[in-house]
Amino acid sequence: MHKDCERIMLTEEQLRERVKEIALQVDKVYEGKRPLVVGILKGSIIFYADFIRHLTVPVELDFMVVSSYGSGTVSSGKLKIKKDLDRDVKGRDVIIVEDIIDSGFTLANLKALLLERGAASVMIVTLLNKKERREYDIAPDYNCFDIENEFVVGYGLDYNEMYRSLPYIGILKRNVYEK
Ligand code: PRP
């Protein structure tokens, strides 16, 4: 385990098994379709790569970089898009793949935006869900793990752009982010 982690919350094996389970459930829903799988960078990168490899339906891949800037504040404003999709979502079945849903700001705005652009459907798939932090009325359609309000890193998730490449989800030691 990394020295900055207090403990491992989700092991590589737990992640592997649960991601596969969720991906197979999602796969069934899209039988006969060709969804556009939208990864929200950067946090979702490892989950995304593992998730899509269990899908048997044909998929197209696309990515967005958005800013959750404004999250937690009173006037959140609109979602800031740093990198938009390459594909037109009009008439498409979209699967948004996210690492974590916290306040819900990002996904509430993103879902509304893609529907506004004419997506036929928008499904949200998340790796982690911090329910107690929710401020916006949005819930994932598929979620791998409900977690407590802990500072988690690894498997794509960062603190100051570090720890994303850890193969497990670890809880960061308090003294790392409080110093
Ligand atoms: C994280 C995460 C979600 C968002 C969730 O992204 O990946 O996009 O925050 O928070 P919310 O529910 O309060 O909106 P972050 O801005 O940390 O970027 P990253 O994916 O590059 O780490």
Side-chain angles (χ1 to χ4, degrees):
M1 183 177 73
H2 194 287
K3 64 171 177 43
D4 292 347
C5 289
E6 189 178 288
R7 67 179 173 87
I8 291 177
M9 179 189 264
L10 297 163
T11 64
E12 288 187 65
E13 196 187 352
Q14 285 174 307
L15 289 162
R16 191 165 47 239
E17 283 176 7
R18 183 63 176 151
V19 170
K20 180 176 181 182
E21 191 178 25
I22 288 294
L24 295 180
Q25 288 177 27
V26 172
D27 195 46
K28 285 204 185 91
V29 176
Y30 290 91
E31 223 177 277
K33 294 187 171 168
R34 191 168 56 97
L36 183 67
V37 188
V38 175
I40 311 305
L41 299 175
K42 303 172 196 167
S44 72
I45 178 166
I46 299 178
F47 173 46
Y48 185 100
D50 285 347
F51 172 80
I52 57 169
R53 282 182 289 174
H54 293 296
L55 301 179
T56 63
V57 294
V59 289
E60 277 183 67
L61 314 184
D62 210 339
F63 301 91
M64 286 181 91
V65 179
V66 297
S67 169
S68 62
Y69 194 71
S71 159
T73 60
V74 181
S75 56
S76 53
K78 281 183 79 178
L79 190 72
K80 188 173 164 198
I81 300 170
K82 294 180 180 168
K83 186 238 171 267
D84 210 334
L85 296 170
D86 296 332
R87 288 271 184 281
D88 185 357
V89 296
K90 211 173 174 63
R92 300 297 306 266
D93 293 301
V94 177
I95 305 174
I96 301 178
V97 177
E98 257 289 25
D99 56 333
I100 189 163
I101 175 164
D102 191 356
S103 71
F105 172 84
T106 306
L107 285 175
N109 281 282
L110 205 52
K111 183 172 182 178
L113 176 73
L114 298 183
L115 288 172
E116 201 177 288
R117 288 180 178 180
S121 68
V122 177
M123 175 195 278
I124 294 172
V125 181
T126 54
L127 176 71
L128 306 173
N129 186 18
K130 275 188 181 175
K131 274 189 190 161
E132 64 177 275
R133 296 263 304 165
R134 201 62 32 83
E135 291 172 36
Y136 296 82
D137 185 23
I138 189 88
D141 298 285
Y142 289 86
N143 169 51
C144 297
F145 301 95
D146 282 316
I147 64 164
E148 300 296 312
N149 188 24
E150 309 258 27
F151 205 126
V152 285
V153 294
Y155 200 72
L157 287 90
D158 76 312
Y159 169 62
N160 274 349
E161 295 302 325
M162 286 172 65
Y163 316 110
R164 290 196 198 271
S165 59
L166 297 178
Y168 48 81
I169 300 274
I171 298 177
L172 201 60
K173 283 181 182 162
R174 283 192 92 84
N175 69 329
V176 176
Y177 56 91
E178 280 182 350
K179 68 185 169 196

